[in-house]
Short mmCIF file of all heavy atoms in Angstrom, two decimals:
data_model
loop_
_atom_site.label_atom_id
_atom_site.label_comp_id
_atom_site.label_asym_id
_atom_site.label_seq_id
_atom_site.Cartn_x
_atom_site.Cartn_y
_atom_site.Cartn_z
N ILE B 532 -96.94 -7.62 67.00
CA ILE B 532 -97.40 -6.65 65.89
C ILE B 532 -96.62 -7.03 64.59
O ILE B 532 -97.19 -7.14 63.52
CB ILE B 532 -97.05 -5.23 66.29
CG1 ILE B 532 -97.88 -4.84 67.53
CG2 ILE B 532 -97.43 -4.29 65.12
CD1 ILE B 532 -97.44 -3.51 68.15
N MET B 533 -95.32 -7.19 64.75
CA MET B 533 -94.51 -7.50 63.57
C MET B 533 -95.01 -8.80 62.89
O MET B 533 -95.08 -8.84 61.65
CB MET B 533 -93.04 -7.75 63.99
CG MET B 533 -92.46 -6.52 64.63
SD MET B 533 -91.24 -5.78 63.53
CE MET B 533 -90.49 -4.61 64.58
N LYS B 534 -95.27 -9.80 63.74
CA LYS B 534 -95.79 -11.07 63.11
C LYS B 534 -97.13 -10.84 62.49
O LYS B 534 -97.41 -11.40 61.40
CB LYS B 534 -95.87 -12.13 64.21
CG LYS B 534 -94.51 -12.62 64.61
CD LYS B 534 -94.57 -13.95 65.30
CE LYS B 534 -93.24 -14.66 65.14
NZ LYS B 534 -93.29 -16.04 65.45
N ALA B 535 -97.98 -10.01 63.11
CA ALA B 535 -99.33 -9.77 62.54
C ALA B 535 -99.22 -9.08 61.16
O ALA B 535 -100.02 -9.29 60.30
CB ALA B 535 -100.15 -8.90 63.49
N VAL B 536 -98.19 -8.18 61.01
CA VAL B 536 -98.06 -7.48 59.75
C VAL B 536 -97.16 -8.20 58.77
O VAL B 536 -96.78 -7.64 57.72
CB VAL B 536 -97.62 -6.01 59.94
CG1 VAL B 536 -98.59 -5.23 60.78
CG2 VAL B 536 -96.23 -5.90 60.49
N GLY B 537 -96.78 -9.44 59.08
CA GLY B 537 -96.13 -10.25 58.05
C GLY B 537 -94.70 -10.70 58.34
O GLY B 537 -94.07 -11.27 57.44
N ALA B 538 -94.23 -10.49 59.56
CA ALA B 538 -92.86 -10.96 59.88
C ALA B 538 -92.84 -12.46 60.06
O ALA B 538 -93.74 -12.98 60.82
CB ALA B 538 -92.34 -10.27 61.12
N SER B 539 -91.88 -13.13 59.47
CA SER B 539 -91.77 -14.58 59.65
C SER B 539 -90.84 -14.82 60.84
O SER B 539 -90.25 -13.90 61.37
CB SER B 539 -91.18 -15.24 58.41
OG SER B 539 -89.89 -14.74 58.20
N ARG B 540 -90.77 -16.09 61.26
CA ARG B 540 -89.84 -16.43 62.35
C ARG B 540 -88.42 -16.01 61.99
O ARG B 540 -87.70 -15.50 62.81
CB ARG B 540 -89.84 -17.99 62.53
CG ARG B 540 -91.06 -18.42 63.26
CD ARG B 540 -91.00 -19.91 63.43
NE ARG B 540 -92.19 -20.39 64.13
CZ ARG B 540 -92.45 -21.65 64.36
NH1 ARG B 540 -91.66 -22.57 63.90
NH2 ARG B 540 -93.56 -22.00 64.99
N LYS B 541 -88.07 -16.19 60.71
CA LYS B 541 -86.69 -15.87 60.28
C LYS B 541 -86.47 -14.35 60.42
O LYS B 541 -85.37 -13.96 60.79
CB LYS B 541 -86.56 -16.30 58.80
CG LYS B 541 -85.27 -17.01 58.51
CD LYS B 541 -85.30 -17.74 57.19
CE LYS B 541 -84.72 -16.92 56.08
NZ LYS B 541 -84.89 -17.62 54.78
N ASP B 542 -87.48 -13.57 60.09
CA ASP B 542 -87.37 -12.11 60.18
C ASP B 542 -87.07 -11.71 61.63
O ASP B 542 -86.20 -10.85 61.88
CB ASP B 542 -88.60 -11.40 59.69
CG ASP B 542 -88.85 -11.60 58.19
OD1 ASP B 542 -87.84 -11.56 57.44
OD2 ASP B 542 -90.01 -11.78 57.79
N ILE B 543 -87.84 -12.27 62.56
CA ILE B 543 -87.68 -11.91 63.97
C ILE B 543 -86.31 -12.34 64.48
O ILE B 543 -85.60 -11.62 65.12
CB ILE B 543 -88.78 -12.56 64.83
CG1 ILE B 543 -90.18 -12.10 64.29
CG2 ILE B 543 -88.63 -12.21 66.29
CD1 ILE B 543 -90.56 -10.69 64.57
N LEU B 544 -85.94 -13.55 64.08
CA LEU B 544 -84.64 -14.11 64.44
C LEU B 544 -83.50 -13.20 63.97
O LEU B 544 -82.57 -12.85 64.69
CB LEU B 544 -84.49 -15.48 63.83
CG LEU B 544 -83.39 -16.40 64.39
CD1 LEU B 544 -83.79 -16.95 65.76
CD2 LEU B 544 -83.12 -17.58 63.50
N LYS B 545 -83.66 -12.79 62.73
CA LYS B 545 -82.65 -11.93 62.08
C LYS B 545 -82.50 -10.60 62.88
O LYS B 545 -81.41 -10.15 63.16
CB LYS B 545 -83.08 -11.64 60.65
CG LYS B 545 -81.93 -11.35 59.68
CD LYS B 545 -82.43 -10.68 58.42
CE LYS B 545 -82.89 -11.59 57.37
NZ LYS B 545 -83.28 -10.88 56.11
N MET B 546 -83.66 -10.06 63.24
CA MET B 546 -83.69 -8.75 63.89
C MET B 546 -82.93 -8.83 65.27
O MET B 546 -82.10 -7.98 65.59
CB MET B 546 -85.14 -8.33 64.15
CG MET B 546 -85.45 -7.00 63.56
SD MET B 546 -87.11 -6.57 63.91
CE MET B 546 -88.02 -7.75 62.99
N PHE B 547 -83.27 -9.89 66.01
CA PHE B 547 -82.67 -9.98 67.35
C PHE B 547 -81.20 -10.34 67.29
O PHE B 547 -80.38 -9.86 68.02
CB PHE B 547 -83.44 -11.03 68.18
CG PHE B 547 -84.60 -10.43 68.91
CD1 PHE B 547 -85.78 -10.23 68.23
CD2 PHE B 547 -84.52 -10.07 70.22
CE1 PHE B 547 -86.89 -9.64 68.89
CE2 PHE B 547 -85.59 -9.48 70.89
CZ PHE B 547 -86.79 -9.30 70.22
N LEU B 548 -80.86 -11.21 66.29
CA LEU B 548 -79.44 -11.58 66.16
C LEU B 548 -78.61 -10.37 65.70
O LEU B 548 -77.46 -10.22 66.10
CB LEU B 548 -79.26 -12.77 65.20
CG LEU B 548 -79.63 -14.12 65.77
CD1 LEU B 548 -79.44 -15.20 64.71
CD2 LEU B 548 -78.81 -14.45 67.00
N LEU B 549 -79.22 -9.55 64.89
CA LEU B 549 -78.53 -8.33 64.42
C LEU B 549 -78.21 -7.42 65.62
O LEU B 549 -77.14 -6.84 65.70
CB LEU B 549 -79.34 -7.57 63.42
CG LEU B 549 -79.05 -7.73 61.97
CD1 LEU B 549 -79.97 -6.95 61.08
CD2 LEU B 549 -77.60 -7.37 61.64
#
Side-chain angles (χ1 to χ4, degrees):
Chain B
I532 298 168
M533 298 252 190
K534 288 202 156 192
V536 300
S539 64
R540 283 180 180 176
K541 225 164 95 183
D542 293 321
I543 302 287
L544 195 75
K545 207 196 275 183
M546 235 183 294
F547 273 81
L548 282 180
L549 261 179

